[in-house]
Amino acid sequence: ALNGAVPDATALATTARAPDPGGGTDPVLAQEQQRALLTEREWKLERSYWAPSLQGGGFYQTLDAASPFTGYLIGATIPIPGTGQGARTKAARLRSEIALQQLEDVRRARVSELARTQAQLAQLRESLAYYESTGASLAATLRSDAERAYQAGDIGYIEFTQGIEQAYRIDTEHLRVRFELALTVLHLRALQGL
């Protein structure tokens, strides 16, 4: 072992056999949706500054602490052209449109990545099924045949090491497929926000 650098084979096998998680919410996509919503609300806020507004208030006051008087104030505000509000509103609208376009770009990219990851998952599961059935027995047969033939003197040391090396390659590829499958399952879970 390499001081914990080699992954636990049992954990790899468990993760590799885990079903497709399905469902969930993509956190990257959710973040982009929040960003687009925020820019749209900023645009609506800037646009609302163009609307006139009415204000009102009342007061109660005394000057000599003996005779109070009350009053009411009513006012209206009307935006004045040329204050730059139109440019700020237009800039906010453009930011909102850009954010919506970026959201669509991210959505397309994530859907594509999800489909690619699911296809890779299916392919790796097929490979794992081969290695767990045919590949494992082939490696064991190659190993035992090489040992038996070498002990009987039918083959030399070079042929023996070649047989053992072929079995080792099959076993290594089996572990690589398990590892890749576990990583793919974890990546799929991350894409789905699980």
Side-chain angles (χ1 to χ4, degrees):
L2 300 171
N3 297 331
V6 176
D8 181 17
T10 307
L12 279 178
T14 303
T15 304
R17 287 186 183 92
D20 183 355
T25 301
D26 184 354
V28 173
L29 192 57
Q31 179 182 359
E32 280 298 315
Q33 287 171 335
Q34 287 295 320
R35 195 166 136 312
L37 182 63
L38 178 65
T39 58
E40 181 184 3
R41 288 186 179 166
E42 286 174 354
W43 170 50
K44 287 180 179 179
L45 177 66
E46 288 293 333
R47 193 177 63 186
S48 74
Y49 292 147
W50 276 105
S53 66
L54 293 175
Q55 299 169 352
F59 61 89
Y60 177 83
Q61 186 174 359
T62 63
L63 293 177
D64 57 2
S67 54
F69 61 95
T70 61
Y72 298 97
L73 296 172
I74 297 176
T77 58
I78 300 171
I80 300 173
T83 59
Q85 184 59 42
R88 285 191 293 274
T89 302
K90 189 174 189 178
R93 181 181 55 82
L94 288 174
R95 280 193 301 271
S96 177
E97 289 173 2
I98 289 169
L100 285 173
Q101 185 61 43
Q102 288 175 340
L103 173 63
E104 285 307 310
D105 290 346
V106 167
R107 180 177 286 130
R108 279 191 296 272
R110 297 301 273 192
V111 165
S112 174
E113 187 175 356
L114 181 64
R116 197 171 45 251
T117 304
Q118 288 173 331
Q120 182 181 8
L121 181 70
Q123 180 184 10
L124 287 169
R125 285 207 168 135
E126 287 176 16
S127 295
L128 183 64
Y130 165 77
Y131 283 112
E132 287 185 344
S133 61
T134 307
S137 62
L138 179 62
T141 302
L142 283 171
R143 195 175 293 108
S144 65
D145 287 352
E147 288 173 358
R148 187 175 31 249
Y150 181 69
Q151 289 174 354
D154 295 337
I155 60 171
Y157 185 72
I158 293 177
E159 291 86 4
F160 168 73
T161 56
Q162 288 173 344
I164 295 296
E165 185 178 341
Q166 286 177 344
Y168 174 76
R169 283 185 191 154
I170 291 171
D171 288 339
T172 302
E173 187 62 19
H174 182 191
L175 287 176
R176 186 199 64 78
V177 166
R178 262 194 194 168
F179 181 71
E180 288 288 324
L181 187 55
L183 287 179
T184 303
V185 167
L186 293 175
H187 182 68
L188 190 60
R189 286 179 184 167
L191 284 173
Q192 296 173 336
L194 302 173

